[in-house]
């Protein structure tokens, strides 16, 4: 993000119904199905219209851990999301391009959104964000970031014209508490960040490590 612009400078000025013919990214669908008793039922949902042909996923979320002298930190970002009219705490993420693997997409999106250069190390199972509402899905990709590299000292994000992203990091060991603190300050917590924080907290409480 350039200058003194912040994600919180954005604001919703109006909302209105969107005609199907005018939608670029999504569409509404009515699905008819039979339940286990054979009864016909219907379900309203949304679908992305941007998934590349032959791709099993819409996008990727990126788990980038920065190794610092004080301990490992998770790379996060603040981004205004108009549907909820709030700045959201997120991991770097983005849509996959045609012919791109999840690993390639994650490395590209990480560089474009944050400036960090990394190497994909692990890919999660396909995850569905909100299957009761939409078909959107993704892979979470673990990306190793070598903090000793010169390009990771002098960061040069390649944001698109409509992207305003604030990048920061927070210690993994206090991620759960940090999510609660940020929520209390008025930020929204993305489910991918919240779920990771919850997993760390469950592992800590049940001494699974």
């Amino acid at each position: 993000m350039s200058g003194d612009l912040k994600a919180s400078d954005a604001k919703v000025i109006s909302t209105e119904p969107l005609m199907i013919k005018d939608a670029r990214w999504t569409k509404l669908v009515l699905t008819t199905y039979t339940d286990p008793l054979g009864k016909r039922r219907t379900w309203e949902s949304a679908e992305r219209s941007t998934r590349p042909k032959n791709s099993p996923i819409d996008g990727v979320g990126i788990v980038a851990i920065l190794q610092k002298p004080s301990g490992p930190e998770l790379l996060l970002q603040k981004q205004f999301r108009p549907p909820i009219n709030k700045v959201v705490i997120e991991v770097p993420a983005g849509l996959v391009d045609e012919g791109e693997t999840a690993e390639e997409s994650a490395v590209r999106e990480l560089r474009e959104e944050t400036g960090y250069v990394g190497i994909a190390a692990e890919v999660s199972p396909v995850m569905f964000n909100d299957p009761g509402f939409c078909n959107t899905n993704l892979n979470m990709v673990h990306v190793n970031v070598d903090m000793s590299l010169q390009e990771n000292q002098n960061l040069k994000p390649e944001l698109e014209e409509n992207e305003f992203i604030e990048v920061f990091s927070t210690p993994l060991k206090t991620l759960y508490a940090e999510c609660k603190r940020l929520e209390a300050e008025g930020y929204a917590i993305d489910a991918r960040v919240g779920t990771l924080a919850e997993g760390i907290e469950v592992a800590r409480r049940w001494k699974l490590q």
Side-chain angles (χ1 to χ4, degrees), residues 25 78 167 169 197:
W25 305 98
K78 298 176 182 178
V167 178
S169 63

Side-chain angles (χ1 to χ4, degrees), residues 63-144:
V63 179
I65 307 298
L66 308 183
Q67 291 288 350
K68 296 191 174 183
S70 57
E73 297 191 4
L74 177 66
L75 188 64
L76 294 172
Q77 53 193 36
K78 298 176 182 178
Q79 190 165 190
F80 179 74
R81 294 301 189 181
I84 61 173
N85 195 22
K86 282 191 174 186
V87 176
V88 183
I89 305 301
E90 308 173 340
V91 292
L95 300 177
V96 298
D97 287 342
E98 184 72 43
E100 196 174 47
T101 66
E103 293 92 333
E104 291 167 341
S105 178
V107 170
R108 173 182 57 76
E109 287 287 351
L110 181 67
R111 184 185 68 252
E112 291 176 356
E113 292 192 350
T114 72
Y116 282 103
V117 174
I119 299 175
E122 181 75 21
V123 179
S124 77
V126 176
M127 300 180 179
F128 291 84
N129 300 4
D130 190 352
F133 172 69
C134 64
N135 71 336
T136 302
N137 64 10
L138 53 75
N139 285 125
M140 293 297 292
V141 182
H142 298 202
V143 177
N144 293 332

Side-chain angles (χ1 to χ4, degrees), residues 2 39 41 49 54 62 94 99 106 124 129 145 152 178 202:
S2 61
K39 183 175 180 178
R41 298 183 182 275
S49 53
N54 299 323
I62 302 161
S124 77
N129 300 4
V145 178
N152 287 332
E178 183 67 2
V202 168

Side-chain angles (χ1 to χ4, degrees), residues 2-70:
S2 61
D4 296 324
L5 296 177
K6 295 182 179 180
S8 56
D9 292 333
K11 62 180 180 180
V12 170
I13 57 176
S14 69
T15 59
E16 59 188 79
L18 177 66
M19 301 297 292
I20 293 178
K21 64 180 180 62
D22 297 324
R24 296 178 54 199
W25 305 98
T26 59
K27 63 180 179 179
L28 295 177
V29 296
L30 180 66
T31 300
T32 301
Y33 68 104
T34 57
D35 68 16
L37 297 176
K39 183 175 180 178
R40 287 170 63 91
R41 298 183 182 275
T42 59
W43 196 285
E44 297 179 8
S45 61
E47 287 186 358
R48 274 197 177 274
S49 53
T50 56
R51 184 180 299 176
K53 184 179 180 181
N54 299 323
S55 174
I57 56 172
D58 294 299
V60 293
I62 302 161
V63 179
I65 307 298
L66 308 183
Q67 291 288 350
K68 296 191 174 183
S70 57

